[in-house]
Amino acid sequence: EVDEEELAALEAQVTRTHHQVPQALEADFANLEEVLEETNDDEEFDDEAFLEAVDPIRNWLEANCAS
């Protein structure tokens, strides 16, 4: 079941972060926002779609950011 409050907080966090990312991640963040928006219309959170949308962002961060 989707917790509307948690989903709204996650969407807000992604939107804030999207405005701070390098150009290389623009399309990936736009896709992530779209996935979250679609999930907002469903009764269940689509974990698989979320993880699939996050994967290219995670891969870029691992390749381009020192930890």
Side-chain angles (χ1 to χ4, degrees), residues 37-63:
E37 192 172 302
E38 290 172 3
T39 297
N40 203 8
D41 295 333
D42 295 336
E43 290 185 20
E44 288 189 26
F45 189 81
D46 189 345
D47 293 336
E48 187 174 322
F50 177 78
L51 293 174
E52 187 175 304
V54 170
D55 197 45
I57 297 168
R58 185 178 313 138
N59 290 339
W60 187 92
L61 291 170
E62 287 174 0

Side-chain angles (χ1 to χ4, degrees), residues 22-41:
Q23 186 66 31
L25 291 175
E26 282 290 323
D28 295 323
F29 265 83
N31 181 54
L32 178 56
E33 287 178 322
E34 186 175 312
V35 167
L36 289 173
E37 192 172 302
E38 290 172 3
T39 297
N40 203 8
D41 295 333

Side-chain angles (χ1 to χ4, degrees), residues 2-23:
V2 175
D3 182 321
E4 297 297 326
E5 193 173 302
E6 286 182 20
L7 182 58
L10 180 58
E11 288 175 327
Q13 180 180 3
V14 169
T15 299
R16 280 191 309 272
T17 305
H18 185 176
H19 296 296
Q20 300 171 2
V21 300
Q23 186 66 31

